[in-house]
Amino acid sequence: MSEQTANHPLYYEMANKFPDAIILEVRSGFFGAVVKSQSLLDVAKTLRDAYSFDYLSAVTGVDDFPEDRMEVIYHFFKSIGGPQFELKVFTTRNEPTVPSLTGLYPGAELQEREIWDLFGIKFTNHPDLRRILMWDDFEGHPLRKDWKEPFYEEDVKPFKNRWPEGKARHSENTNPFQDNVQYPREFNPANWTGEADHLMYKSLIMSGEQSSNIIKTDQLVVNLGPQHPSTHGVFRMVVVLEGETIVNLRPVVGYMHRNHEKIGERNTFLQNMPYTDRLDYLSSMSNNFGYSITIEKMLGITPPERAEYIRVMMAELTRIASHVMSIGFLMNDLGAYFTPALYALEERELILDIFEAVAGSRMMCNYFRFGGVVRDVPEDVMKKVKHLVENRLPRKIDELDRYLTKNEIVRTRCEGVGVITSDEAIAFSATGPILRATGVPYDIRRADPYSIYESLDFDVCIRNHGDVYDRYLLRMDEIRQSLRILRQVLNRIPKGPVISGKPQYLAKVPAGESYGRVEGPRGELGFYIVSDGKPNPKRYHVRAPSFINLTGLAQMCKGAKVADAVTILGSVDIVLGEVDR
Amino acid sequence: MNGFGIVKGLFVTIKHFFTTYWVDLFHGKKNKTRAARRGMVDSAGLFTVQYPEEIIIPSEEFRVIPFLIYEVGENGVRKYRCTSCGICAKVCPTQCIYITRKKDEVTGKPILSPEEFYIDTDKCMNCGSCAEFCPFDAIKMDHDFEIATYERGETHIYSKEKLGKPLEYYAKIRPVNYASEEAVRHEKASVH
């Protein structure tokens, strides 16, 4: 090929500015430029300062085994909306090193740790480069293509035979204490001291600022979690306290890690669909949505109109279900023991009844397919949705509002707690209600519209204080906007087929890559898929909103009281299925 | 005024508290059980159902654990619809299905029927892919969710015999699907 054109118009401007540093990359679906690793920081700085790509959405790695090459991919966006610009850095497999972007984009911190953990790519100048999802003495880097898990069967599904001699085998019978855990060769569990944790505690105390209290108190490290009802799962917050004030905090995750992404690379494209339900199990329809639009981008198909309407309807119902639940459990964290949570669960229950009637399952919906949805919504269910949206939900949301919003205890506990400014929120790559509660009107449904959201009439809600109370109010607002969307969808939904073409179980995804994102209830849910034309994805990455929202948790908690840490975490609204993946 | 918000909120809970009894006392007689009432969107009062006594009938598309449809032939022999094509085993995300094809005892030629059909229900994630992509409507998702057992070794691996359920059962739990599939079958049969 003589004349190759870049996919992104900005590429040429960047190439003029950095003639030595930028290489053209024309892989289909890639919008950006390849940068030499020594000039990554300069290019990223120019992108941020001169082109206002101030929002680093996702960072991830790709292993090009058997080639001696690994890639690190950065997805930049503008916080005022618009399409992405991507940077890619190549590095070798033997000694992979890439400069860390945490200085420019603090939001990269947890994500770069994840890449170090799963790919073994070292980030120079990273402030805290430790393993994050795997345990400290784990051997190997699981997402490398040549790493094999203990019960390794085959590279890709369908497996030839999971049943040796026609007999089902329970994994637990294959001697779990000898070969389902991989230790480094010199590791002896008996001598394990948990040194890494002690080092972390020490560094936390050192890095925390001394407060200017008159009474000097010793600093104390307290572990909130991993088993603690306020953490909504298995999650640990290491807090450094001075008296009752939080001086420093670090989230520790990975207790529920199952390497979703490795499983995803073993699966065929369609087999991943039910697995995405299990990421953020409170909003599985949104996860389905994100995954299917990413694959549809690569396949180049669009669903029929009725399917688009059904998808939006399901996504908005999910948003309502997830938001009422998060409001209810925020009140639980405040100490309003279960009454608000149960009122919220009633409404969620009715929405789940609809999911059950349509998709067959209440939580693990598995409802979307590439190019449509599994089955049409029956007429009687449609009536039920209509009644729910027009009569019941608005009434119940108002009731919740009456019940909680002006409650003095809620206000004193929430107002001014866990404040994060809009600049910080953007820098920490926070998304969803956290970002919008700081006054940044960044909603992917408007900023980078997908599906039929462009034709729908709704407002992007914002609140301006960025505290827990504003996040709560913002969720209330968003429920009302979702109801507004649903009313339009129900009025306009056309008749017709719900899937384009015949449903197929083997999606022939052409080689290339794609980054698709949707506005889930917790923020930007992104899927980054690399295909090499085979039936299984070469790389399957999930940009989990609640995982990345945790990057800013320390900033929100500093200076608050220890009891507020629970509230702040409740308002961030994490789902551990997604955080740990 | 300070405290007004709390009082206003408490009225909401008090209202909820009394409607629970009110609805059960007066409306309960008309609408019989709470299980029947719960499905309606304007249901008020107590939401929960006393499970083993009252059971909410799941909706038609509800899915747990697949089953194999058979028709009863002469002498009560089960005629499975399954042709052991193996698509279900291929699409299964957890790879929990195992099939072998039957062979003619005399000639050794393969017959379009399963010899063995196992599903490891510990691995099955109830996604419904097998039922969705089966070209012969032979495997369908069940409604029976009361599958707890005291033993978790052998009983969790369902054999062909345990998986098999008569066509009438399918027609009973999924009447709408059954009717539409039968219509398509008749159409096909009349064309040939």
Side-chain angles (χ1 to χ4, degrees), chain A residues 546-575:
Chain A
S546 41
F547 174 65
I548 293 163
N549 284 350
L550 282 177
T551 322
L553 185 68
Q555 184 63 34
M556 291 181 221
C557 288
K558 270 179 198 166
K561 298 274 182 278
V562 65
D564 291 336
V566 172
T567 322
I568 294 166
L569 186 73
S571 76
V572 173
D573 189 21
I574 54 168
V575 170

Side-chain angles (χ1 to χ4, degrees), chain A residues 396-528:
Chain A
K396 288 289 173 177
I397 299 308
D398 286 348
E399 189 189 87
L400 216 57
D401 206 4
R402 208 162 50 239
Y403 176 37
L404 298 169
T405 308
K406 292 224 172 112
N407 187 312
E408 280 80 5
I409 303 173
V410 173
R411 290 184 58 174
T412 31
R413 284 297 305 277
C414 294
E415 279 175 340
V417 171
V419 179
I420 189 166
T421 64
S422 53
D423 290 344
E424 283 165 353
I426 291 171
F428 283 124
S429 304
T431 39
I434 313 243
L435 182 64
R436 286 194 290 278
T438 63
V440 183
Y442 185 74
D443 186 321
I444 295 156
R445 292 173 292 173
R446 278 279 183 257
D448 191 7
Y450 54 94
S451 195
I452 52 161
Y453 279 111
E454 211 156 17
S455 67
L456 293 167
D457 190 22
F458 68 97
D459 297 328
V460 175
C461 314
I462 52 162
R463 292 273 165 174
N464 293 314
H465 300 94
D467 56 0
V468 175
Y469 193 61
D470 269 8
R471 274 168 231 147
Y472 157 75
L473 288 176
L474 188 99
R475 291 205 169 96
M476 282 289 202
D477 295 345
E478 283 200 354
I479 293 173
R480 297 207 166 98
Q481 293 302 325
S482 287
L483 287 172
R484 194 170 147 197
I485 294 174
L486 279 167
R487 254 174 252 134
Q488 296 168 42
V489 166
L490 287 168
N491 284 337
R492 284 197 225 155
I493 186 163
K495 290 256 178 297
V498 291
I499 190 157
S500 66
K502 254 184 107 187
Q504 281 185 330
Y505 59 89
L506 266 185
K508 287 186 187 65
V509 180
E513 62 180 63
S514 148
Y515 182 70
R517 53 192 199 138
V518 293
E519 182 72 32
R522 277 161 197 80
E524 174 182 339
L525 175 73
F527 284 89
Y528 175 70

Side-chain angles (χ1 to χ4, degrees), chain B residues 31-63:
Chain B
N31 287 329
K32 294 286 182 278
T33 58
R34 256 184 242 145
R37 216 165 58 218
R38 206 197 78 140
M40 293 147 57
V41 265
D42 50 357
S43 67
L46 206 55
F47 213 72
T48 43
V49 168
Q50 298 297 318
Y51 162 59
E53 287 83 33
E54 290 181 71
I55 292 174
I56 300 170
I57 296 159
S59 53
E60 181 166 335
E61 294 299 343
F62 181 67
R63 50 179 152 83

